[in-house]
Amino acid sequence: MDAIIGILLVLAGAVLGFFVARYWLKEHSDEARLNQEVQQSREQLASYQQEVAEHFATASALVEQLEETQDKLKAYLQHSSELLQQEQTQPSLPFFAEDTMRQLRMASQLQKGSSQAQKETAEQMPRDYSDKKSGLFSSSKQKTS
């Protein structure tokens, strides 16, 4: 009987050990899973912080570039304004040289003279109308109605 009690105690201990181990391992597996989730969350947070830092660095560089471009534009507009003010105070330079202007005036006068001659010839009757009969209708067999 001692052997039967010993076997029963070993079986009861095995069953009890099975359930205790199952509960204890389940608790540890939940803890391991939670630790893993916490680790993933930390990695995601670090990654997100890195992306935000890169975004702000890029935005800062773009703002600096924009300010630089704006300064260049202001300088250009100021320079253009100064040039316009200088031109208003100084006499403007002619586009063509004096001898070129003289040639243009002479060409303009010649053109006016030729246009008057063209007007005079335009008032005359064109030469293709003639009193003589010529061409196909010049024969004496022509019928008139």
Side-chain angles (χ1 to χ4, degrees):
M1 203 112 166
D2 285 332
I4 294 178
I5 292 178
I7 292 175
L8 287 176
L9 283 175
V10 168
L11 284 175
V15 170
L16 184 65
F18 174 75
F19 286 112
V20 168
R22 187 172 174 193
Y23 175 76
W24 188 67
L25 289 177
K26 183 179 179 187
E27 190 174 286
H28 282 287
S29 68
D30 286 344
E31 185 178 324
R33 184 181 51 82
L34 289 176
N35 284 337
Q36 185 180 7
E37 288 178 5
V38 166
Q39 185 63 26
Q40 278 183 336
S41 296
R42 286 181 182 165
E43 289 173 359
Q44 287 176 350
L45 179 63
S47 173
Y48 179 72
Q49 287 174 342
Q50 180 67 28
E51 288 176 8
V52 168
E54 289 175 2
H55 171 73
F56 281 129
T58 303
S60 175
L62 288 174
V63 166
E64 287 176 12
Q65 191 177 30
L66 182 63
E67 288 173 350
E68 189 176 304
T69 304
Q70 186 178 10
D71 291 340
K72 286 180 183 178
L73 180 62
K74 284 181 183 178
Y76 174 75
L77 290 175
Q78 180 67 27
H79 178 70
S80 298
S81 174
E82 290 172 2
L83 285 177
L84 286 175
Q85 288 175 356
Q86 286 177 357
E87 187 175 312
Q88 289 175 356
T89 58
Q90 296 176 352
S92 62
L93 298 174
F95 185 73
F96 295 113
E98 183 60 36
D99 57 337
T100 307
M101 291 296 289
R102 193 175 332 113
Q103 289 176 357
L104 286 173
R105 281 189 219 111
M106 287 176 26
S108 175
Q109 289 173 356
L110 288 175
Q111 187 177 13
K112 286 180 183 177
S114 67
S115 66
Q116 289 175 357
Q118 286 177 354
K119 285 181 184 178
E120 291 174 4
T121 57
E123 293 173 1
Q124 297 174 359
M125 185 185 309
R127 294 185 181 187
D128 60 347
Y129 294 113
S130 63
D131 292 336
K132 299 184 216 174
K133 296 182 181 178
S134 62
L136 295 174
F137 301 111
S138 64
S139 71
S140 60
K141 297 180 182 177
Q142 181 179 5
K143 294 183 181 176
T144 57
S145 11

